[in-house]
Amino acid sequence: AVVSTQSTGEEAGLDKIPDLSIAQMRFELTLDAQTAKELKVDQAEVKRQLLDKIKAGFMTQLYRDVSADLNMPLNNSVLEEMEARNKEELEKLTEAIANAEKNEGESEVREAMVKKCEYLTSIGRKEDALKMLKETLEKTNTTGHKLDLHFHLIRLGFFFSDNKTITANLDKAKELIELGGDWDRRNRLKVYTGLYAMSVRNFKEAADNFLDTVSTFTSYELMDYHTFIKYTIMSAMLALERKDLTKKVVEGADINEVLHELPLFKSYISSLYNAQYAEFFVALGSIEGIFKGDRYLAAHTHYYIREMRIRSYGQLLESYSSLTVTYMATSFGVSERFIDRELSRFISAGALNAKIDKVGGIIQTNRPDKKNWQYQSVIKQGDLLLNRIQKLSRVITI
């Protein structure tokens, strides 16, 4: 049966281990003062909340790491209390494993090992958690339980921005799903795959995976539903052709169901779709702020905003064989000088098919032959591939 996310609370997700909100807080504390002010991030309050979470969870290793990040002296009495609690808890967990091995069955042993994995992860001991998770996988026989451990490893990778751990475990999870993963885990894997794809700038793969799970989302261990919808919209707006965007986003029932609670994103979608370009530019400015303040997206801010500008300029230019610089500037709510500079840059880079008559202030559009464009694209990609092979062969020869 399909479980609707609208009627399912966060209890449908896995445990939030590790707590990814801590990783976001750590990221916010790395923002420069100007960006933090621009994004209305109160870094003093974020620091207070982060340290409160760390102390409440006796997260010893995270306390050391965060103190190093912030050049903050360690409070030795707090550290000693944390270490004592960790030692006591780990001894109990190790004893529970030994007791299960001696007196109980394989499933009880595995459950005891999983609890130790979760505890090591929760206190920030990455290497110990990785080692324990590997040992637990070796003792796990069922596909579903193996998948849960790989999901745990992927979250650990997300927490520490460890792409190697993420990709290795996404690959393993995909192999296991093919062997017979259940419906819930198949959907969960799509969300994990989408989040990783988005974090490495593959917005097309992110959009495809996210859109597949809009009506079945239960991965609250990664993010809340509104954040998921925001990521879905931002990825789809860049990645999808207009007809797919219309069908899956503009007319998407599940997305529309929550858009009234997300006015910025409603404006972002409708303004581009309805060619209200000045409104679109205002919304895009706010989207830029979201990118800058998000640990998965910050590195892609410049790329995304540039590509969305190109998309909006291209959409307007496609409607005309020629138009004036004045008209285009008015449409976007910017100065003629700004539009002239932007278009010149994007045309010379081959991102827009147009030319500007500087004397007459006219922009003329070129509609290239699609087959010729595809041919040129294949040639260009082939040249790039040959160059990479040549570089690789030189490295191997050395």
Side-chain angles (χ1 to χ4, degrees):
V2 174
V3 181
S4 168
T5 48
Q6 308 310 316
S7 59
T8 305
E10 294 204 12
E11 68 274 4
L14 302 176
D15 288 336
K16 293 180 182 178
I17 300 171
D19 182 349
L20 292 171
S21 70
I22 289 175
Q24 174 63 22
M25 287 178 183
R26 286 180 74 178
F27 168 75
E28 288 174 1
L29 292 176
T30 67
L31 297 172
D32 62 79
Q34 181 59 38
T35 303
K37 185 179 177 183
E38 180 189 318
L39 301 179
K40 296 185 170 68
V41 173
D42 183 343
Q43 289 180 306
E45 178 60 18
V46 171
K47 179 179 172 182
R48 186 192 67 74
Q49 289 180 11
L50 175 58
L51 290 173
D52 283 351
K53 276 198 171 200
I54 285 171
K55 288 171 186 175
F58 298 93
M59 304 172 184
T60 312
Q61 190 55 50
L62 281 171
Y63 182 50
R64 292 179 189 278
D65 294 345
V66 168
S67 296
D69 290 347
L70 303 176
N71 292 318
M72 182 181 74
L74 289 163
N75 182 322
N76 286 326
S77 64
V78 169
L79 188 63
E80 284 168 15
E81 184 189 356
M82 285 183 173
E83 285 174 335
R85 175 63 74 95
N86 292 166
K87 186 182 176 187
E88 180 189 338
E89 199 63 37
L90 285 167
E91 281 173 357
K92 283 183 191 173
L93 291 164
T94 304
E95 193 181 314
I97 294 168
N99 182 58
E101 286 174 336
K102 189 176 177 182
N103 303 310
E104 300 184 68
E106 284 182 7
S107 64
E108 288 79 10
V109 172
R110 193 197 66 80
E111 284 169 20
M113 292 177 81
V114 167
K115 283 180 181 174
K116 188 172 180 181
C117 293
E118 290 175 345
Y119 187 71
L120 287 166
T121 298
S122 72
I123 59 175
R125 282 170 57 170
K126 180 191 173 188
E127 296 308 320
D128 290 335
L130 287 171
K131 184 181 173 186
M132 191 69 208
L133 281 157
K134 187 180 176 184
E135 288 176 21
T136 309
L137 270 166
E138 287 167 2
K139 298 262 184 165
T140 302
N141 298 317
T142 64
T143 301
H145 288 143
K146 280 183 179 178
L147 279 164
D148 290 343
L149 290 169
H150 286 298
F151 289 139
H152 184 147
L153 281 157
I154 296 164
R155 292 196 303 277
L156 196 63
F158 281 134
F159 188 90
F160 288 102
S161 302
D162 178 355
N163 285 357
K164 188 177 177 183
T165 295
I166 296 169
T167 53
N169 286 283
L170 279 173
D171 289 343
K172 289 282 187 185
K174 285 168 188 172
E175 287 173 20
L176 287 168
I177 283 291
E178 292 309 310
L179 296 175
D182 61 34
W183 172 88
D184 180 68
R185 290 183 176 96
R186 282 177 183 273
N187 281 305
R188 181 162 269 112
L189 179 58
K190 286 181 181 180
V191 179
Y192 281 60
T193 301
L195 183 58
Y196 175 68
M198 186 189 76
S199 76
V200 294
R201 202 184 283 184
N202 188 342
F203 291 105
K204 179 70 171 74
E205 188 178 358
D208 289 344
N209 279 281
F210 286 158
L211 285 164
D212 274 353
T213 52
V214 167
S215 63
T216 56
F217 177 83
T218 56
S219 300
Y220 296 100
E221 69 278 6
L222 293 183
M223 65 193 101
D224 61 49
Y225 189 62
H226 278 183
T227 300
F228 170 71
I229 291 295
K230 290 173 187 177
Y231 286 163
T232 303
I233 290 168
M234 290 187 292
S235 299
M237 286 285 281
L238 179 59
L240 299 190
E241 296 291 336
R242 185 177 173 90
K243 67 178 189 321
D244 292 326
L245 192 67
T246 303
K247 181 181 174 183
K248 297 177 181 179
V249 178
V250 177
E251 296 172 358
D254 293 299
I255 288 177
N256 275 286
E257 203 172 309
V258 291
L259 270 185
H260 67 282
E261 297 172 51
L262 303 169
L264 166 61
F265 288 84
K266 186 174 184 179
S267 169
Y268 185 47
I269 296 166
S270 65
S271 58
L272 182 64
Y273 186 75
N274 296 318
Q276 296 164 328
Y277 298 112
E279 184 186 329
F280 171 74
F281 255 32
V282 171
L284 188 61
S286 298
I287 296 294
E288 183 175 5
I290 289 171
F291 263 70
K292 286 181 180 177
D294 187 289
R295 62 186 290 261
Y296 299 114
L297 294 170
H300 313 306
T301 305
H302 178 72
Y303 167 83
Y304 183 89
I305 300 304
R306 184 189 72 219
E307 292 300 311
M308 287 308 298
R309 279 179 175 171
I310 290 169
R311 178 163 195 165
S312 61
Y313 295 148
Q315 182 174 291
L316 177 58
L317 290 170
E318 279 174 12
S319 305
Y320 301 91
S321 57
S322 67
L323 68 165
T324 64
V325 173
T326 304
Y327 175 78
M328 194 157 182
T330 304
S331 296
F332 281 90
V334 294
S335 69
E336 291 180 33
R337 186 179 173 190
F338 177 87
I339 278 290
D340 185 73
R341 189 173 68 242
E342 284 268 283
L343 292 184
S344 297
R345 182 158 61 99
F346 294 140
I347 290 167
S348 64
L352 288 172
N353 294 303
K355 59 182 180 180
I356 303 175
D357 172 0
K358 298 272 187 182
V359 178
I362 302 291
I363 305 158
Q364 292 182 318
T365 58
N366 304 322
R367 289 182 174 82
D369 173 38
K370 193 170 183 183
K371 281 192 177 177
N372 184 48
W373 178 84
Q374 286 172 334
Y375 173 74
Q376 294 298 331
S377 178
V378 168
I379 295 293
K380 188 177 178 182
Q381 287 170 2
D383 286 342
L384 286 170
L385 181 60
L386 283 172
N387 286 336
R388 284 176 186 162
I389 290 168
Q390 285 167 355
K391 283 178 186 175
L392 184 60
S393 66
R394 284 199 294 271
V395 171
I396 293 166
T397 305
I398 290 164

